[in-house]
Amino acid sequence: MKHKKITLTGVALLAAGALALTGCSTSSNEKPDAEKGSSNVDASAIIKVNGSEPQNPLIPTNTNETGGGKILDAIFAGLIGYAADGAVFNEVAEDIKVDDPQNITVKLRKGLKFTNGEEVTADNFIKAWNYGALASNEQLSSYFFEDIEGFSYEEDSELTGLKQVDEHTFTIKLNKPASDFAQRLGYSAYYPLPDVAFEDMEAFGQNPIGNGPYMLDGEGAWQHDVGINLVTNPDYDGPSKPANGGLNIVFYASQDSAYADLLGDQLDVLDAVPDSAFGSYEADLGDRAVNQPAAIFQSFTIPERLEHFSGEEGNLRRQAISMAINRKEITDVIFQGTRTPASDFTSPVIDGWTDELKGAEVLDYNEKKAKELWAEADKISPWSGTFQIAYNADGGHQAWVDATTNSIKNTLGIDASGAPYPTFAELRGKVTDRTIETAFRTGWQADYPGLYNFLGPLYATNAGSNDGDYSSKEFDKLLSDGISETDPAAANKLYQEAQEVLLKDLPVVPLWYSNVVGGYGKTVENVKFGWNSVPIFSEIEKTKAE
């Protein structure tokens, strides 16, 4: 018997709060139907895909980057999941009832297990969320529990808003209305953890035990800086049951190496074609080439703690640097139609996006104005040194960083260059511990399909992904008012006003919106890339060898 699917507003255009404001319960645990490929499928075949070394041990509440997130999303299952088009479906949840904008009741499906045989219960969610929220645990995703009653940044405090009703039911009480909270519950910060995790969390992170469609392929499955091998979880009972035998996620040193493997039939799916192949990949791959919009925003951050970038001087220099970048030329020449110059801090595929924000002219290339602003800053304190943008060399960023810094150099007449780090993990380590001494590349791949997700986690005071330590009472107030608003249109208006504050302060310098530009091999079928650019791994099929 078919159950009603949870659908918000269609292809990645998801109104924040659409789920939370229905006032009714959700009751489907069926994923939207996938189109199946040929019958000549090897259900045991391993799918080889690209990835990157996670920054940290694989603990859901301490992973906020794409390398680790891609793995966690394969080995864990949350209360809800997101289909390729952004539609929401129940995963571990049997029913999520939004009683009002501050109270939610969650009922779990019975009989679900972690891969060590432990049953998934309400307590597994409550304990995991409390661990993630505890101040002394210093988890990167603690911000995602901020709206739950009892949360504190300053001291260890129990999330008193989480109450177990019975073994498979718990309630969530928020400390303020958060109209899209139910929509967030598929993000990795909200995954459950088995009891064994709390015996030694660091050791658990090296060999995580999940409840999702895949699991680690035994001891030694994760070879650091090389790759990680996953196999299907035989006990998984959910809507994302794999059509393959597992995943071999390879941590490539460069995107060029990954693309060469794809062309040589040594890689099945690639989600990031290198810029060196933008002019040829569609001819190389034919109908196996992928170029589609995704909820990805790219930027770079200039920490306020750097010399010349605090106070009024810093504000002037950020504006000058932003207006010294010829985004259209860079996206045309370097990215060849796979990027679009940014006009805000979110993504055009998310409901509420607009290109008519006040102050957005700071994102336009304006050589004359950039020089004037730089000269004003020099009157406060004469410029000295070199302006650099740090990036990870294993991610295919050199070309755009060089083009961006050259644009800044030529416009402002200063020394500017890229500062490469060998790996993403090394770069993120410097960013996270605040020891990086230059500007650095940043960006956002949405956690869930809502406008707030591009703003709160990155720019709210104390937010876990607020890499520049930005803080604005005006911005925080507009953000808080927006998330408390029960009318999605009114909420989006407040988010737009909040972005106008960001355009004045430029906590990051917006660059462009990214398409997912990828491709897949000749022997795989039913390859789909989701609204957030990640392939839907469980649906990929591989044909039998002849």
Side-chain angles (χ1 to χ4, degrees):
M1 175 180 177
K2 290 275 187 180
H3 294 286
K4 181 181 178 183
K5 295 167 185 168
I6 311 167
T7 307
L8 298 184
T9 59
V11 74
L13 298 175
L14 306 179
L19 173 61
L21 297 176
T22 59
C24 61
S25 62
T26 63
S27 58
S28 169
N29 61 4
E30 289 194 12
K31 191 175 185 177
D33 295 330
E35 296 178 7
K36 297 297 181 183
S38 70
S39 59
N40 186 34
V41 168
D42 181 359
S44 65
I46 302 298
I47 308 298
K48 188 175 180 181
V49 304
N50 68 300
S52 59
E53 173 72 16
Q55 177 188 0
N56 296 311
L58 291 169
I59 300 168
T61 52
N62 205 39
T63 299
N64 67 349
E65 43 79 29
T66 56
K70 183 182 291 186
I71 299 167
L72 285 174
D73 290 345
I75 63 178
F76 282 90
L79 293 170
I80 61 173
Y82 307 111
D85 65 355
V88 177
F89 58 89
N90 277 351
E91 180 72 91
V92 175
E94 178 179 297
D95 182 86
I96 300 176
K97 183 178 181 182
V98 181
D99 303 302
D100 60 59
Q102 280 186 252
N103 291 279
I104 301 168
T105 300
V106 178
K107 184 177 181 181
L108 308 181
R109 293 196 288 131
K110 297 179 180 179
L112 302 182
K113 295 180 179 181
F114 292 99
T115 57
N116 66 346
E118 182 183 334
E119 185 178 3
V120 180
T121 67
D123 191 52
N124 295 116
F125 284 93
I126 293 171
K127 287 174 67 175
W129 296 9
N130 268 294
Y131 178 87
L134 211 61
S136 62
N137 288 332
E138 299 181 334
Q139 298 293 282
L140 292 174
S141 294
S142 64
Y143 174 79
F144 281 89
F145 306 102
E146 182 187 53
D147 292 331
I148 300 176
E149 187 179 82
F151 180 87
S152 173
Y153 282 114
E154 305 302 326
E155 58 185 11
D156 284 351
S157 177
E158 181 186 1
L159 295 176
T160 55
L162 300 179
K163 299 292 185 184
Q164 182 171 335
V165 176
D166 58 43
E167 194 173 20
H168 297 95
T169 309
F170 68 101
T171 58
I172 307 168
K173 182 176 178 59
L174 306 179
N175 52 39
K176 58 182 177 295
S179 57
D180 72 344
F181 194 86
Q183 189 187 22
R184 305 177 194 176
L185 295 175
Y187 179 53
S188 58
Y190 301 108
Y191 288 157
L193 289 175
D195 289 340
V196 68
F198 302 97
E199 297 174 6
D200 187 338
M201 192 63 75
E202 188 73 15
F204 177 85
Q206 296 295 335
N207 189 25
I209 295 167
N211 64 317
Y214 298 96
M215 63 183 189
L216 271 67
D217 186 15
E219 189 174 345
W222 181 4
Q223 299 180 58
H224 289 285
D225 299 312
V226 176
I228 191 166
N229 295 322
L230 308 180
V231 293
T232 55
N233 173 8
D235 294 325
Y236 174 76
D237 178 21
S240 299
K241 197 166 186 64
N244 50 65
L247 305 174
N248 178 9
I249 304 177
V250 181
F251 305 153
Y252 283 96
S254 71
Q255 290 178 332
D256 288 289
S257 298
Y259 187 64
D261 273 3
L262 181 67
L263 294 181
D265 296 323
Q266 300 300 307
L267 183 69
D268 293 315
V269 182
L270 175 67
D271 62 11
V273 168
D275 52 31
S276 61
F278 283 162
S280 62
Y281 81 100
E282 290 180 318
D284 292 341
L285 300 174
D287 59 6
R288 294 179 288 110
V290 176
N291 182 8
Q292 69 184 53
I296 303 175
F297 165 83
Q298 299 288 349
S299 60
F300 63 86
T301 298
I302 311 173
E304 193 171 349
R305 58 182 170 77
L306 299 184
E307 185 180 6
H308 296 298
F309 287 101
S310 62
E312 179 63 18
E313 180 194 357
N315 187 262
L316 290 167
R317 294 202 189 280
R318 284 183 178 81
Q319 292 179 35
I321 286 171
S322 178
M323 300 183 87
I325 301 168
N326 193 334
R327 293 167 177 80
K328 185 177 188 308
E329 182 178 89
I330 294 170
T331 53
D332 286 347
V333 175
I334 301 295
F335 293 115
Q336 301 186 46
T338 64
R339 307 288 189 274
T340 304
S343 59
D344 80 330
F345 294 79
T346 65
S347 167
V349 305
I350 301 295
D351 183 54
W353 175 84
T354 179
D355 59 358
E356 298 180 352
L357 296 175
K358 294 177 183 178
E361 62 272 9
V362 76
L363 305 183
D364 296 334
Y365 179 56
N366 188 328
E367 186 176 0
K368 180 181 178 182
K369 184 64 174 177
K371 289 179 177 178
E372 290 175 355
L373 291 167
W374 196 259
E376 286 184 47
D378 278 343
K379 292 177 183 178
I380 298 173
S381 177
W383 172 256
S384 61
T386 298
F387 180 77
Q388 291 189 299
I389 300 175
Y391 65 96
N392 52 301
D394 62 350
H397 300 288
Q398 181 178 351
W400 74 257
V401 171
D402 286 349
T404 299
T405 52
N406 282 336
S407 187
I408 294 168
K409 177 181 179 179
N410 294 336
T411 301
L412 300 179
I414 63 172
D415 288 334
S417 62
Y421 284 76
T423 66
F424 182 70
E426 185 174 345
L427 172 64
R428 286 304 305 173
K430 292 285 188 181
V431 170
T432 301
D433 64 20
R434 303 303 193 259
T435 59
I436 197 163
E437 294 299 327
T438 66
F440 49 90
R441 65 160 288 259
T442 43
W444 195 247
Q445 176 181 292
D447 304 312
Y448 62 92
L451 198 67
Y452 176 86
N453 183 241
F454 282 87
L455 304 175
L458 281 81
Y459 313 117
T461 302
N462 293 320
S465 296
N466 186 344
D467 293 330
D469 297 319
Y470 173 70
S471 182
S472 165
K473 291 182 179 179
E474 183 181 8
F475 173 81
D476 288 347
K477 177 65 164 57
L478 288 165
L479 200 65
S480 177
D481 290 347
I483 200 61
S484 300
E485 176 58 61
T486 57
D487 175 14
N492 285 339
K493 181 67 167 60
L494 289 163
Y495 297 144
Q496 291 163 9
E497 291 178 20
Q499 289 193 80
E500 291 172 353
V501 175
L502 298 182
L503 286 167
K504 290 187 293 184
D505 296 342
L506 290 179
V508 304
V509 177
L511 292 172
W512 36 75
Y513 313 117
S514 296
N515 282 9
V516 52
V517 184
Y520 53 95
K522 299 173 183 176
T523 61
V524 288
E525 300 177 347
N526 203 38
V527 179
K528 295 180 181 179
F529 288 76
W531 60 278
N532 62 351
S533 84
V534 179
I536 310 299
F537 293 124
S538 62
E539 296 182 5
I540 299 172
E541 299 171 328
K542 196 163 188 174
T543 55
K544 295 177 182 178
E546 296 182 0

